[in-house]
Amino acid sequence: MNSRRKFLKTTGLASISVLAASACQPADKKKKNKRIVEPVKPLAISTWKNGMQANEAGWKVLSAGGRALDAVEQGVKVVEANPDDMSVGYGGRPDRDGIVTLDACIMDETGNAGSVCALENIKHPISVARRVMEKTPHVMLAGDGALQFAIEEGFPKENILTEKARKQYVEWRKTSDYKPVINIENHDTIGMLALDQTGNISGACTTSGLAYKMHGRVGDSPIIGAGMYCDNEVGGAVATGMGELVMKTLGSFLVVELMNQGATPQEAVEEAIYRIVKKIPGYQDFQIGYLAVNKYGETGAYSLHKGFNYALYANQENKLIDSDYYLKQK
Ligand code: SD4
């Protein structure tokens, strides 16, 4: 058994009683019990290699003293606009009917959240999600309703299926082999978390989802608590990979809640992966990666398979880092 897992198992009982006690404490007392370290801020952390460009854009906002919310929106927009990223926004691969449908969500430091799912013909779903958060009494708009709202808000309706994605789709149609198995080496959904100079945390997640999915399929990415979750008093988490596994375990909320109960970001993301291993038969066939950050700028990353990497911009440096992973024995 992996040593971290052993630690979580053997400390389980003790931590449950600590948690039970802390759950009864008023919020200000709970805070006094947290470890005190000098926070690393500002900071941006994003999934996959394209997270490097997201972090660069986010850093411009953060280093100028801007808000974490603006940093994550600006960051992921760069990836949404990039046609070479075939899992996000413009250039994303279509569903099995040849239609590109986009999912995105965003959350700010006050706990406000917005999201869109199954949105067509809009290049920047993350900005529509932000408008849902800021301008409507709702959290999520879907499909035609989301498109109608986007158009009313002035977003241009455009064809986001690129020639490259269309050609790949035509090729796929020759077999129509419908297996929504993600190539474990080739994800590029973007999930991003930022901690700004004032210590506020926000997060964003945006994707075109699984290539050749069923029309109408919505993944974890726009689901608050699944693809992304932030609690400004605790930290944030984002997920990438086969969304169905994340949805069944409400992964990002789980990670943040574990941090709320005292886990470090690394302990929390590892536990969220163990939860999938424990609960979901056939998990070996899919990749899942989690990132987390807490209020102190401590970060965590963990995935099921080898191959998950992420970009961390902290202490003035943007770095691409390979994540640790669960399935080592092969
Ligand atoms: C989904 N989680 O739609 C997304 C896909 C993804 O890297 O993250 N790919 O299930």
Side-chain angles (χ1 to χ4, degrees):
M1 190 186 294
N2 164 316
S3 64
R4 169 61 53 212
R5 212 168 164 204
K6 222 183 280 166
F7 163 81
L8 287 168
K9 276 208 154 174
T10 50
T11 56
L13 283 178
S15 55
I16 283 166
S17 53
V18 171
L19 295 182
S22 82
C24 303
Q25 292 171 0
D28 57 343
K29 183 138 189 236
K30 255 196 203 173
K31 268 187 220 149
K32 279 186 204 144
N33 291 344
K34 297 256 161 108
R35 54 197 178 278
I36 311 231
V37 288
E38 191 56 44
V40 177
K41 59 181 186 180
L43 173 154
I45 186 167
S46 305
T47 54
W48 306 109
K49 196 164 136 242
N50 284 340
M52 293 293 283
Q53 47 179 270
N55 281 0
E56 289 292 342
W59 193 258
K60 284 191 188 135
V61 176
L62 295 170
S63 57
R67 199 175 161 199
L69 181 71
D70 294 320
V72 293
E73 184 190 11
Q74 292 311 315
V76 303
K77 274 181 81 171
V78 173
V79 185
E80 285 182 336
N82 180 356
D84 293 329
D85 189 317
M86 299 189 77
S87 296
V88 181
Y90 178 61
R93 291 189 186 88
D95 63 21
R96 63 196 306 184
D97 294 349
I99 303 164
V100 185
T101 67
L102 306 176
D103 295 340
C105 77
I106 194 159
M107 205 162 176
D108 74 8
E109 74 280 1
T110 70
N112 251 337
S115 82
V116 289
C117 64
L119 176 64
E120 295 174 23
N121 296 114
I122 297 287
K123 204 184 252 177
H124 289 300
I126 198 65
S127 300
V128 185
R130 182 167 176 175
R131 298 282 174 94
V132 172
M133 173 173 83
E134 290 177 340
K135 293 195 158 185
T136 81
H138 306 304
V139 169
M140 178 181 253
L141 291 179
D144 288 347
L147 178 61
Q148 185 186 326
F149 172 71
I151 291 166
E152 281 165 14
E153 285 295 311
F155 289 87
K157 192 174 171 186
E158 49 196 319
N159 177 23
I160 55 171
L161 180 66
T162 56
E163 198 42 30
K164 184 175 165 193
R166 195 192 63 78
K167 278 192 179 143
Q168 286 186 7
Y169 168 69
V170 170
E171 204 50 40
W172 172 80
R173 277 287 295 261
K174 289 182 183 158
T175 55
S176 292
D177 188 14
Y178 180 60
K179 281 197 201 124
V181 177
I182 299 182
N183 172 357
I184 61 164
E185 305 298 341
N186 188 26
H187 302 258
D188 27 28
T189 288
I190 180 91
M192 179 172 183
L193 302 163
L195 177 64
D196 66 27
Q197 288 184 24
T198 64
N200 283 328
I201 291 175
S202 295
C205 187
T206 175
T207 188
S208 53
L210 303 181
Y212 320 132
K213 61 194 175 185
M214 291 175 73
H215 185 61
R217 180 265 186 188
V218 170
D220 61 313
S221 305
I223 312 285
I224 298 297
M228 189 273 299
Y229 193 74
C230 291
D231 177 333
N232 208 44
E233 287 181 40
V234 179
V238 286
T240 181
M242 184 69 178
E244 280 71 4
L245 281 66
V246 177
M247 293 157 92
K248 286 175 187 170
T249 50
L250 204 57
S252 292
F253 179 79
L254 175 62
V255 169
V256 174
E257 189 51 28
L258 287 165
M259 293 194 291
N260 185 37
Q261 295 179 358
T264 65
Q266 189 59 35
E267 288 166 355
V269 289
E270 290 183 16
E271 183 59 20
I273 291 289
Y274 302 149
R275 192 69 58 95
I276 289 172
V277 168
K278 196 169 150 203
K279 300 272 180 191
I280 305 183
Y283 68 86
Q284 298 92 334
D285 294 338
F286 305 105
Q287 173 66 309
I288 296 293
Y290 285 114
L291 296 180
V293 64
N294 67 11
K295 285 297 280 180
Y296 312 107
E298 296 170 315
T299 58
Y302 204 57
S303 58
L304 268 173
H305 289 268
K306 187 176 180 181
F308 176 44
N309 55 14
Y310 63 100
L312 175 63
Y313 207 141
N315 300 315
Q316 314 296 323
E317 208 186 342
N318 198 14
K319 278 192 211 156
L320 187 65
I321 302 169
D322 287 329
S323 168
D324 192 11
Y325 56 96
Y326 176 76
L327 283 165
K328 297 215 167 94
Q329 66 290 0
K330 266 209 165 172

